[in-house]
Amino acid sequence: MAASKKSKVFSALYIILCFLFLYLPILVTMIFSFNSSKSLTKMQGFSMRWYGSLINNGSIMKAVYVSITIAVFATIISTVLGTLTAIGLSKTRRVLKEVIKNVNNIPIMNPDIVTAIGLMILFSSIGIERGYYTMLLSHVAFCTPYVITSVYPKVRNLDPSLANAAMDLGATPFQALTKVILPMLKDGIYAGVLLAFTMSFDDFVISYFVTGNGVSNISITVYNMTKRTNPTINALSTIVILVIALLLILINVMPDIVKKVMRKVFVVLFIGAIIMMVFTGVGGSRKTLRIYNAGEYIDPNLIEKFEREHDCKVIYETFDSNESMYTKIKSGAKYDILIPSDYMIERLVKEELVEPLDWDKIAGGDSLNPQIMDLAYDPGNMYSAPYFVGTVGILYDSTVVDGEDLAEGWEVLRNKKYKGNIYMYDSERDSFMIALKALGYSMNTTDMDEIDDAYDWLIEQRDSMDVVYAGDDVIDNMISGNKALAVVYSGDAAYIMSENPDMVYFEPQQGTNEWCDGMVITKNCEEEELAYEFISFMYEYDNAYDNSVYVGYTSPVKDVAGELAATEFEMINAYTPSFGEKENEVFRYQDTKIKQYFADLWTKVKAYDK
């Protein structure tokens, strides 16, 4: 008896722990959606501000509509296709049946990224413009196999003589299908419907690669928002969670009423999806400018302002890295303006993917800081117009870190005093830059021995210092003071310091990465005149000022940078780049051999078992 009671206690404890593991993160998300500050880790008062921000954010509302309509439309189409295919499979020969079943399993077992790249290349090769249509077709493609898998077991259990019996009694083949066969399959069909809707509504990877024309679903929008601390995500997540919970409660309490209501909702959304498909991308006679930029890297009000001033439509899409941007461009995606980083600009120039700039068409070019012009990646700025500049440095907690230790420069990141108290930036090039600079080498070195020395430096640091490799989550962690030292970009440092006055940013004396992102016009630009207007627009004083305040990085417009440095926004210019004055460098394009060598070593740094 005692053993039985102990077993029950352990079972109950196991169940409780499982539920905590599953639902505690959801509860935390809901609680922080009411936080009065931007912090994602510290509650600083109750507020509904993020719900107001959500409602007023047109891009999020549009993304919600796209997600729902795509999911509804894809569910209906894939359910019809999947059910008919499952029924047809039951009537085929055994060999053909096994072949089709195995082919059906390929999309289910295939990694999403492989499917996404394949679909992206397919649409590009046959000339279909990416947008709402391509996202819908892709969702139908990956949802249908799941429906077939759900329905086919029910088909196998059917008595094959039922349809024949119905037709012997006078039913037509269609009536036999709808009145006899489908009702017998309803449990499998409902399971397929729920699975298809969930898969479609939740999809990110495939949607990210096959979309275009400014169409984004919730997953893409939320992913872009995570590039900077944005509690609006918590508000959106809370609403989605509450809606799902409410539906589950109503389905169990009032199933018949819910079914009737949901049928009407599905009809409305189905009609809405058709309207969305027909009118998406239709902009009348207005010109359309297509811009491809990093996520959360522009003041959205400026896009609306440009559209008003120039009576045009701006299709603004975002990427998460220079490499993913490059992949999409090489796959045939068409944009008028790209905003990549220095080394990627050099690569685009080498591969003749961008047009030389006519600076006579760019108003405000003479207002740019001469220090950020004529850099090694683009001599004479023949192809790029500076967008933002900044550095990589060390952010430290002044209440914890001894100021004298900072004289060590990058070596402070190996000072045993701060073991377990350091965030390294989870970036191959920036991490190797730190090691190379600490050793006195160029961060653009191609000397294998120097690269190996840097690798050893990183391995020794990681094993002896218990460093944590972090991405954009370092922002909120440093605001909360979770570590004493962190490698960050200057703009992120500015935001962190504005939230936590104990934090200080500095640039080690051994030199660092001084980066410059720039605007380039593509070879296949369709609105060249409008593209030049946009570049000029971004150099207007008020626009450059607002953009720098919103994003947090140093403006290339000299007067704007100077004004911000002299105001309450001075932390935006936590460090104003001084290209060429110290040991600082800009990243240069790496050839395939060197890039692969760095990538292989970085994999070992992240996976090395001490």
Side-chain angles (χ1 to χ4, degrees), residues 228 390-396 410 413 422-427 430-431 433-434 468 470-479 483-497 503-508 512-515 553 571 574-575:
R228 298 181 72 83
T391 62
V392 176
I394 297 176
L395 188 78
Y396 66 93
W410 291 117
L413 299 176
I422 296 173
Y423 284 120
M424 284 286 287
Y425 199 72
D426 193 1
S427 163
D430 286 318
S431 292
M433 177 276 295
I434 291 169
V468 175
D472 293 318
D473 54 320
V474 72
I475 297 174
D476 198 60
N477 280 304
M478 290 304 288
I479 290 174
K483 301 284 185 186
L485 295 154
V487 177
V488 297
Y489 289 105
S490 54
D492 292 337
Y495 173 68
I496 294 169
M497 289 188 290
M503 296 296 168
V504 181
Y505 179 78
F506 89 107
E507 176 199 341
T512 186
N513 167 25
E514 287 185 324
W515 54 264
Y553 284 104
M571 283 179 291
Y575 175 74

Side-chain angles (χ1 to χ4, degrees), residues 218-272:
I218 292 177
S219 298
I220 296 173
T221 301
V222 168
Y223 178 73
N224 289 329
M225 291 168 67
T226 59
K227 294 295 140 182
R228 298 181 72 83
T229 304
N230 194 334
T232 307
I233 301 172
N234 293 341
L236 176 61
S237 302
T238 300
I239 291 175
V240 172
I241 293 165
L242 292 177
V243 169
I244 293 173
L246 182 62
L247 282 175
L248 290 174
I249 293 171
L250 292 176
I251 287 171
N252 285 278
V253 176
M254 300 179 292
D256 295 333
I257 296 176
V258 172
K259 285 181 180 179
K260 291 179 181 179
V261 173
M262 288 306 295
R263 286 195 194 103
K264 294 179 180 179
V265 170
F266 257 64
V267 170
V268 172
L269 291 175
F270 182 77
I271 295 172

Side-chain angles (χ1 to χ4, degrees), residues 21-236:
F21 180 77
L22 291 172
Y23 293 106
L24 190 58
I26 295 176
L27 180 61
V28 170
T29 297
M30 296 176 70
I31 291 173
F32 277 92
S33 70
F34 299 101
N35 194 4
S36 60
S37 78
K38 281 189 174 184
S39 176
L40 301 177
T41 57
K42 285 186 178 181
M43 282 293 293
Q44 298 181 8
F46 180 87
S47 174
M48 297 290 290
R49 63 181 290 199
W50 306 118
Y51 289 89
S53 175
L54 174 65
I55 294 171
N56 294 324
N57 192 319
S59 63
I60 295 180
M61 293 296 100
K62 182 181 176 182
V64 170
Y65 183 73
V66 168
S67 288
I68 294 175
T69 55
I70 286 280
V72 170
F73 218 32
T75 299
I76 293 171
I77 296 174
S78 61
T79 300
V80 173
L81 292 176
T83 301
L84 293 177
T85 303
I87 294 172
L89 274 176
S90 66
K91 304 297 182 181
T92 59
R93 294 180 179 180
R94 183 175 180 179
V95 174
L96 180 59
K97 183 188 301 182
E98 291 302 317
V99 170
I100 294 175
K101 285 168 60 180
N102 288 327
V103 170
N104 183 68
N105 289 333
I106 293 175
I108 297 175
M109 300 178 66
N110 208 30
D112 282 353
I113 187 66
V114 175
T115 302
I117 297 295
L119 288 168
M120 179 179 68
I121 294 173
L122 172 66
F123 293 136
S124 297
S125 62
I126 60 180
I128 298 179
E129 185 177 17
R130 288 195 286 264
Y132 194 91
Y133 289 101
T134 53
M135 187 185 292
L136 175 59
L137 289 172
S138 300
H139 282 226
V140 171
F142 73 74
C143 286
T144 301
Y146 289 95
V147 176
I148 294 174
T149 302
S150 299
V151 177
Y152 182 68
K154 294 293 182 181
V155 175
R156 289 185 61 188
N157 293 331
L158 280 180
D159 185 344
S161 63
L162 285 175
N164 294 330
M167 287 186 285
D168 288 344
L169 294 172
T172 65
F174 182 74
Q175 288 175 325
L177 174 66
T178 57
K179 301 293 186 180
V180 179
I181 297 177
L182 292 183
M184 299 289 287
L185 302 176
K186 65 179 181 180
D187 290 341
I189 294 173
Y190 286 154
V193 166
L194 292 174
L195 193 55
F197 184 86
T198 303
M199 294 291 295
S200 176
F201 189 79
D202 187 54
D203 179 71
F204 164 71
V205 176
I206 294 175
S207 299
Y208 185 82
F209 282 92
V210 302
T211 191
N213 207 30
V215 177
S216 297
N217 60 10
I218 292 177
S219 298
I220 296 173
T221 301
V222 168
Y223 178 73
N224 289 329
M225 291 168 67
T226 59
K227 294 295 140 182
R228 298 181 72 83
T229 304
N230 194 334
T232 307
I233 301 172
N234 293 341
L236 176 61

Side-chain angles (χ1 to χ4, degrees), residues 436 441 444-453 594 597-598:
L436 288 166
Y441 302 142
N444 291 305
T445 184
T446 57
D447 187 309
M448 297 298 187
D449 291 334
E450 293 181 354
I451 297 172
D452 288 339
D453 289 344
I594 292 295
Y597 192 67
F598 271 110

